[in-house]
Amino acid sequence: MAEDIKTDLFERTAPDDDARRTVDEQPSWGGNDAADRTVDEAVAASQKPLIGTQIDGADQAERPSGPVGLDVGTSHIVAAQNKLNHVHMVDQLNAFFTIPVSKFSRRILQNHDIMFFERGDLFYIVGYSADSFANMFNTSTHRPIQGGLLSPTEKEGLTVVQAVVNTLIQKPRRFGETICFGIPGEPVDAQGPGAVTYHEQVLKMFLRNMGYTPISINEGMATVLAELAGDDYTGIGISMGGGMCNVCLSYLSFPVITFSIQTAGDYIDRMAGLAVAEPTTKIKVIKEAELDLTRDPADSIHTALHIYYDEVIHHLLKNLQRVLTASDKLPKISKPIPMVLSGGTAMRGCHARVAKLLDRYRLPIEISEVRLAADPLYATAKGALIMAMTESG
Amino acid sequence: MPKTAVVFSPDVIRGNVMSRKMQHEGMEVLLFDRACQAAEAVAANRPSIFIFDTCGCIPEELRLLSRFCASDMNASTRAVVLGEDANPGLTWMRDREGVTLLSAALDPELLFSTIQGLFSLAPPAAPVETDSLEHDLKDFLRLS
Ligand SMILES: Nc1ncnc2c1ncn2[C@@H]1O[C@H](COP(=O)(O)OP(=O)(O)O)[C@@H](O)[C@H]1O
């Protein structure tokens, strides 16, 4: 009838689940060796080097033989598995491109090992292949989850995400293997409540049908698990991706406060592009290859990128201040706590900029430092893997 | 040092935050979001500490707490109640032995140091006497 906290180091986000487990389980005072070992293994996995691979052809997906961590981002989907000496990451572009159905194009796609599916009178080319096709046609790919959340009104969304996930992992070797996937926090700046619930539940259904036991973790919390082992998992984790920034304040590995904003890297590209009248794709390439937010901007494109990066950071910090100040759940923490940033948008000196702009905001807790995750693009998947390993024991 | 605690909080987040702190300090914790189950666990397991968070409690739960502390609670268990002194539902516990009232603010560090304080007031345990005996002996032999 109770929860033995010792066996459950990393908490999931859904309060209902917590409450249910609180009352459904039998009391047990003692330590649980098996569970402790699982937690140890999960923590050990968090210290291993990450080796990443981009999937660029069909039929490369593995059948996992252990727990899996999955980051379903606006731009990329990343799967993580624990191997003997490293954590193995595979990533795929979360994008698609359509061409009309014809016998000729079908043969071309099949001959070139390109990942696609057919729906109506269109072929949907997914992943990095979609990018190559879009370049060939001098246009850009489409995103199945524009604002970071699957929505019932976007018909292709789930099908494309399923196809992309299928390029990374197949069904597990052991039926019922644990898979933990990242979910955003409730957005503070758009959509009604419940948007995350739909996103979470359809992904769960899909992964369950693949033969997994799916659990979810807030993306900010996953960043905490991946990066804050040395801080007793106490601090603020923020994943800054393409469509969203996800924030989680964790206290001793429990996600106390979570939220998200729907402005991130894509917004920076779009707004900077509009400002200097250049295509978004060009702005994105320059941003990813050249931008340095710690230096003064050299030209008008860099200036525009600085301006919109600052806008996103201010929006993030303003909402962090709002949410923390309004919360009645925030525990008093006497020691300053770290803030750790992950995701593509956190790169290029963004963490230094966040540290600088943070001075202008009075938060009810003190921040000791702002860090960049060791592997910003893989931190969410790694945190999800740690959670999956912990829960699968 | 207290070893075991039963925590009741109707709020999942507050309950987990308090439990995590105590577990982090080496205690075994059982967490409940229903008062009657928490009371049953206290009666059955005789923990060192029973933490009862009144924040968000309904009057029934406060009445259950008062009845439980008055009659069924084991003498070896100390209760720490989180709530406001002004709460009329908590007047019964002023001056009640074995029950400490702490502000309802979520301050896990203060909660833990209060618990430590309660136990440091307890009669000294055997190892402390051994230590002092050893200390006296060392003094006598001029070894320290
Ligand atoms: N090296 C880089 N420098 C700056 N921005 C980057 C870099 N790599 C990716 N990004 C940006 O990060 C965002 C995607 O980050 P990612 O962590 O993959 O997000 P998501 O979780 O949304 O898939 C995009 O806006 C992309 O332009």
Side-chain angles (χ1 to χ4, degrees), chain A residues 7-30:
Chain A
T7 65
D8 191 13
L9 177 61
F10 305 126
E11 204 65 40
R12 268 174 285 158
T13 46
D16 289 353
D17 280 1
D18 293 329
R20 218 169 298 119
R21 279 184 306 145
T22 300
V23 296
D24 284 350
E25 290 168 22
Q26 292 301 310
S28 139
W29 288 108

Side-chain angles (χ1 to χ4, degrees), chain A residues 179-232:
Chain A
I179 191 165
C180 177
F181 63 100
I183 53 163
E186 241 2 288
V188 289
D189 50 2
Q191 302 197 33
V196 177
T197 310
Y198 177 84
H199 175 89
E200 181 183 2
Q201 293 307 327
V202 290
L203 284 177
K204 268 195 178 157
M205 251 184 263
F206 155 58
L207 294 168
R208 203 173 286 124
N209 287 341
M210 272 181 91
Y212 290 94
T213 301
I215 56 173
S216 60
I217 183 172
N218 173 276
E219 278 189 27
M221 186 64 205
T223 302
V224 168
L225 293 192
E227 296 295 323
L228 296 184
D231 302 86
D232 293 326

